[in-house]
């Protein structure tokens, strides 16, 4: 099964996303902040990272910069409450596969993850 790394400082958001991802056929690991996300990405090389931008130590954009530089083969699906067009544009420049606004509903998340299930 493909591996998904969920990085979000909200335990509730991780729980909800993990439920949808497991139903879609993913193995799931979770990170509560940017530092843990980078550590787990380096250790496990997931197929995709579901990444919250507004999390601590470092924030999501810094995590994306590192992932795009060190592990460009890992797909990133951004999940955020930040709706600024400049933020969206920066994420896409850094290689985000998809950009979802919070709160994310289950069908939208399933649709965003579907290309990585195979």
């Amino acid at each position: 099964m493909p591996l998904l790394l969920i990085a979000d400082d909200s335990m509730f958001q991780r729980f909800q996303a993990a439920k949808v991802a497991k139903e879609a056929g993913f193995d799931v690991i979770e990170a509560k902040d940017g530092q843990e996300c980078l550590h787990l990405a380096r250790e496990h090389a997931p197929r995709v990272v579901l990444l919250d931008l507004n999390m601590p130590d470092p924030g999501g954009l810094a995590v994306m910069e590192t992932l795009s530089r060190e592990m460009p083969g890992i797909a990133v699906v951004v999940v955020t409450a930040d709706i600024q067009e400049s933020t969206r544009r920066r994420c896409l420049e850094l290689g985000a596969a998809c950009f979802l606004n919070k709160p994310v509903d289950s069908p939208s998340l399933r649709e965003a993850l579907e290309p990585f299930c195979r």
Side-chain angles (χ1 to χ4, degrees), residues 96-115:
C98 185
F99 191 95
L100 301 172
N101 289 321
K102 282 186 176 181
V104 177
D105 59 76
S106 296
S108 297
L109 181 55
R110 225 176 274 111
E111 182 180 333
L113 294 177
E114 196 275 328

Side-chain angles (χ1 to χ4, degrees), residues 34-35 37-38 42 51-53 55-70 90-91 94:
Q35 185 175 9
C37 176
L38 290 171
R42 289 175 180 128
L51 181 67
D52 177 30
L53 291 186
M55 63 177 177
D57 192 29
L61 282 174
V63 169
M64 281 196 72
E65 289 169 356
T66 300
L67 290 175
S68 69
R69 186 176 57 251
E70 292 182 14
R90 181 66 181 139
C91 290
L94 289 169

Side-chain angles (χ1 to χ4, degrees), residues 5-90:
L5 169 55
I6 300 171
D8 196 311
D9 57 332
S10 165
M11 186 176 8
F12 177 74
Q13 294 296 327
R14 291 193 313 268
F15 174 80
Q16 294 289 76
K19 182 176 182 233
V20 171
K22 288 174 184 176
E23 289 171 356
F26 284 90
D27 283 331
V28 174
I29 54 176
E30 300 179 23
K32 66 184 176 310
D33 59 37
Q35 185 175 9
E36 187 176 21
C37 176
L38 290 171
H39 171 76
L40 291 173
R42 289 175 180 128
E43 184 176 331
H44 297 282
R47 179 173 293 175
V48 62
V49 174
L50 187 63
L51 181 67
D52 177 30
L53 291 186
N54 298 318
M55 63 177 177
D57 192 29
L61 282 174
V63 169
M64 281 196 72
E65 289 169 356
T66 300
L67 290 175
S68 69
R69 186 176 57 251
E70 292 182 14
M71 296 164 269
I74 297 175
V76 177
V77 173
V78 173
V79 180
T80 186
D82 187 338
I83 59 170
Q84 296 177 71
E85 185 57 34
S86 59
T87 300
R88 180 185 187 93
R89 190 173 31 254
R90 181 66 181 139

